[in-house]
Amino acid sequence: MTTLRLILGDQLNPCHSWFASTDPDVVHVMMEIRQETDYVRHHAQKILAIFAAMRDFAAQLKAQGHRVRYVAIDDASNRQSLTGNLDALIVHYGAAAVEYQAPDEWRLDRILADWAKGLPIPCRMADSEHFYTARGEAAAFFGARRQWRQETFYRQLRRKHRVLLDDDGEPVGGRWNFDADNRQRWPGDPPEPIDPRPAHDHSKLWQTIQKASVDSFGQPQADALRWPRNRAEALDLLQAFVEHALPHFGAYQDAMNARARRLFHSLLSFALNVKMLNPREAVDAAVAAWRSGRAPLPAVEGFARQILGWREYVRGVYWAQMPDYRNCNALAHRLPLPRWFWDGDTGMQCLAHAIGQSLEDAYAHHIQRLMVIGNFGLIAGLSPQALHEWYLGVYIDAFEWVELPNTLGMSQFADGGLLGSKPYAGSAAYIGRMSDYCAGCRYQPKQRVGPDACPFNALYWDFFQRHRERLAANPRLALVYRQLDTLPETERAAIAARAAALQANLDAL
Ligand code: FAD
Ligand code: SF4
């Protein structure tokens, strides 16, 4: 009696208990389908990297003696939908049962759960054996509290999983959080570590994808794609990160530089999100580096917090808030994305770099995503849903469970402050402090109004003026409102006029 086991494209975890032994009665099903390539317009590298990793995973399973049915994008029998293919394969194999691992995306979870209800054979959902927390763990932890805070959840997870704790259960180094030590501008030294990832030639696969007329944007870099293809490459990347970048990860975590795209970030999000790598492995490797004196505590704590804290926390927000979350728009922002989101062709150097790099590499690091692109979207009043679609399409690591709360919650404050305590809004002063972008820009970072003034400045102050009613009572914004109130009325009016003119013609910036 055959059992079909479905493996989704972001479930490439060879350590899952499903693969501990081979069973001739189990057929593992993997599929490349238009339903998944087309639900949003994706960056070419994202489609390529996922298909390449899926193919590699299927080949490894086969080599270990597992039965695998791989439905390629151009297979004549491919019905191009998850349940369409599953229905056909149940008949083909005379399957007596179906199993699947818990999807991370609400959309797929619903599709599979609804489909399973109508099946005449048993269908079971297994754990994906990846995360530290269960889907509903954050919701249970915060209960009915109106405001959730990452820091509280993170500390509880540090205690529960005994990460960076001393024998008394207290945080090592006497502090839970080393953020204050981690906000330095990068002076150009130490040098950015070399990119350790091997380049793969996926030109043939790219031709197949194109022949199947899959729509995409961005540079495919098909003949030299650098995203890890399998777990062995992901482990190599982790090791290289720990050795060469982690020691400086903390200090320059918020820094940006026109000549250094990655700085000391890990580039591990793709490998983590498709589950080649387990989050515990990444956190444990960093902690081991601190214990053996190879990395300082603020860097290691900062890295552990991104994964054990933020990654698990945003997932908890996602599962607690979907499906309504994706429509939230607390600040009623509605402007469409300017045209330069699709080519990076803007005179604003910070955005030209962050967006241009995203289109070339399918990657930008956190501060570029949050404090340049997201910040502009927030203060200019772009539609959070349009931004969500852009972020979900453009980044190599973008899967809705992690992208949506980051975009709508952290970056756009569209959930009204559930996920984060204040909007991440910044003027040119912030960007100038943390990067070298302003030096090569046609706009003046110190001016608020006038044709050459940096657009971030007028938009920043106007954002706080426009949303005074909602934001002024927030104690974390008291200083901003005090500064705003010291500006003469004439200057506030000039700022409002400049902001309105910018918003009316964003394409021209
Ligand atoms: P590093 O800086 O080296 O961090 C290490 C790891 O920590 C990352 O690989 C990631 O797994 C985790 N991490 C760090 N910050 C976050 C965070 N805020 N939320 C969840 N995990 C985090 N991350 C995604 O994985 N997918 C997304 O689609 C995504 N969209 C984002 C959209 C916006 C608007 C913002 C502000 C952030 C987004 N992030 C997303 C979070 C973060 O920017 C990326 O995880 C990070 O830039 C990936 O690069 P890295 O692996 O070099 O990360
Ligand atoms: Fe960006 Fe303004 Fe600096 Fe130009 S001057 S790089 S637009 S912050």
Side-chain angles (χ1 to χ4, degrees):
M1 287 300 224
T2 303
T3 295
L4 297 186
R5 278 183 174 167
L6 173 69
I7 303 167
L8 296 171
D10 65 348
Q11 296 178 336
L12 310 181
N13 170 14
C15 305
H16 193 280
S17 56
W18 271 5
F19 313 118
S21 58
T22 56
D23 181 344
D25 289 333
V26 172
V27 177
H28 297 93
V29 175
M30 299 179 72
M31 52 180 98
E32 299 167 351
I33 45 176
R34 293 298 296 265
Q35 183 183 358
E36 291 310 293
T37 56
D38 295 2
Y39 68 89
V40 73
R41 195 161 171 250
H42 291 284
H43 196 292
Q45 284 184 42
K46 190 175 169 193
I47 300 168
L48 200 49
I50 293 176
F51 280 11
M54 287 171 68
R55 288 179 179 211
D56 190 281
F57 192 75
Q60 294 203 25
L61 288 185
K62 280 185 196 161
Q64 288 160 13
H66 296 286
R67 287 177 74 191
V68 178
R69 175 62 185 262
Y70 194 93
V71 184
I73 191 80
D74 57 346
D75 277 357
S77 64
N78 191 341
R79 297 186 176 195
Q80 304 294 351
S81 90
L82 194 56
T83 54
N85 281 335
L86 284 171
D87 283 335
L89 293 172
I90 288 172
V91 174
H92 177 82
Y93 288 101
V98 179
E99 296 179 0
Y100 62 94
Q101 295 178 26
D104 288 322
E105 202 171 320
W106 189 87
R107 178 182 60 94
L108 289 176
D109 188 68
R110 286 293 88 216
I111 288 175
L112 285 170
D114 290 346
W115 172 77
K117 277 188 217 147
L119 274 186
I121 55 173
C123 184
R124 191 180 77 87
M125 184 172 90
D127 190 350
S128 68
E129 301 174 10
H130 176 78
F131 292 97
Y132 279 96
T133 53
R135 273 181 186 174
E137 197 165 325
F141 175 74
F142 287 107
R145 268 183 265 181
R146 213 171 58 82
Q147 287 193 327
W148 292 21
R149 289 295 161 258
Q150 182 272 150
E151 187 69 33
T152 337
F153 191 53
Y154 164 61
R155 290 183 190 186
Q156 130 88 5
L157 293 183
R158 286 243 325 247
R159 287 207 171 91
K160 180 172 170 185
H161 297 280
R162 300 213 52 82
V163 173
L164 293 173
L165 292 189
D166 65 20
D167 293 342
D168 300 326
E170 293 303 314
V172 295
R175 279 154 65 187
W176 290 102
N177 185 321
F178 289 82
D179 251 0
D181 303 7
N182 282 350
R183 292 200 183 111
Q184 295 175 37
R185 183 189 167 103
W186 182 58
D189 187 56
E192 185 187 43
I194 54 154
D195 188 341
R197 299 170 298 168
H200 297 293
D201 187 348
H202 293 307
S203 305
K204 262 175 109 178
L205 175 55
W206 181 236
Q207 276 168 17
T208 308
I209 292 169
Q210 281 185 305
K211 252 173 121 182
S213 305
V214 175
D215 189 24
S216 66
F217 65 98
Q219 304 279 330
Q221 297 184 2
D223 57 349
L225 195 74
R226 306 197 78 155
W227 296 106
R229 212 167 36 171
N230 52 40
R231 176 168 164 77
E233 290 183 11
L235 286 169
D236 287 348
L237 182 56
L238 172 62
Q239 200 187 346
F241 164 72
V242 168
E243 205 171 313
H244 302 294
L246 178 63
H248 310 293
F249 174 84
Y252 305 116
Q253 200 175 340
D254 287 4
M256 297 174 283
N257 191 279
R259 287 165 296 110
R261 293 183 170 197
R262 165 250 176 137
L263 278 169
F264 301 95
H265 293 271
S266 69
L267 304 173
L268 284 169
S269 49
F270 174 73
L272 283 164
N273 293 354
V274 298
K275 305 186 182 61
M276 289 169 180
L277 201 61
N278 189 277
R280 288 173 188 77
E281 291 173 302
V283 170
D284 291 352
V287 173
W290 168 67
R291 291 207 184 281
S292 59
R294 287 176 292 137
L297 185 55
V300 171
E301 189 281 314
F303 182 70
R305 178 148 31 90
Q306 303 313 310
I307 295 178
L308 178 62
W310 281 110
R311 191 167 183 265
E312 299 289 330
Y313 174 67
V314 298
R315 178 167 179 265
V317 169
Y318 180 77
W319 281 105
Q321 300 297 324
M322 283 297 281
D324 296 343
Y325 199 76
R326 70 176 160 218
N327 298 320
C328 65
N329 190 357
L331 300 177
H333 284 172
R334 310 215 186 280
L335 290 181
L337 303 193
R339 50 139 195 97
W340 36 263
F341 266 73
W342 303 102
D343 59 14
D345 184 15
T346 163
M348 294 181 287
Q349 279 310 293
C350 51
L351 281 155
H353 276 288
I355 292 179
Q357 171 185 331
S358 304
L359 296 170
E360 262 176 51
D361 297 349
Y363 175 84
H365 66 68
H366 186 64
I367 294 302
Q368 294 172 306
R369 296 187 203 194
L370 183 66
M371 293 310 295
V372 178
I373 306 171
N375 177 14
F376 184 87
L378 174 71
I379 60 181
L382 305 188
S383 151
Q385 280 65 38
L387 278 163
H388 151 60
E389 290 207 356
W390 185 84
Y391 276 101
L392 184 59
V394 78
Y395 291 116
I396 196 75
D397 51 35
F399 296 89
E400 196 186 70
W401 64 270
V402 53
E403 177 277 329
L404 192 71
N406 267 299
T407 304
L408 294 194
M410 185 188 297
S411 160
Q412 299 304 302
F413 207 69
D415 63 6
L418 173 91
L419 183 144
S421 56
K422 70 175 178 79
Y424 281 96
S427 65
Y430 176 88
I431 294 173
R433 199 162 54 242
M434 297 315 298
S435 78
D436 64 348
Y437 292 145
C438 300
C441 188
R442 62 166 279 228
Y443 292 105
Q444 298 300 318
K446 294 223 159 83
Q447 290 178 16
R448 288 187 186 132
V449 291
D452 296 332
C454 168
F456 276 83
N457 293 338
L459 291 171
Y460 171 83
W461 289 112
D462 186 61
F463 169 79
F464 286 107
Q465 293 201 81
R466 267 184 283 139
H467 295 296
R468 183 182 283 275
E469 210 173 303
R470 176 178 277 273
L471 301 176
N474 183 333
R476 296 199 63 196
L477 297 174
L479 180 64
V480 176
Y481 278 99
R482 270 205 304 280
Q483 286 172 337
L484 188 57
D485 292 340
T486 60
L487 297 180
E489 184 54 45
T490 46
E491 181 150 7
R492 276 192 265 159
I495 286 172
R498 163 88 173 143
L502 291 167
Q503 286 173 309
N505 203 1
L506 293 174
D507 279 352
L509 290 174

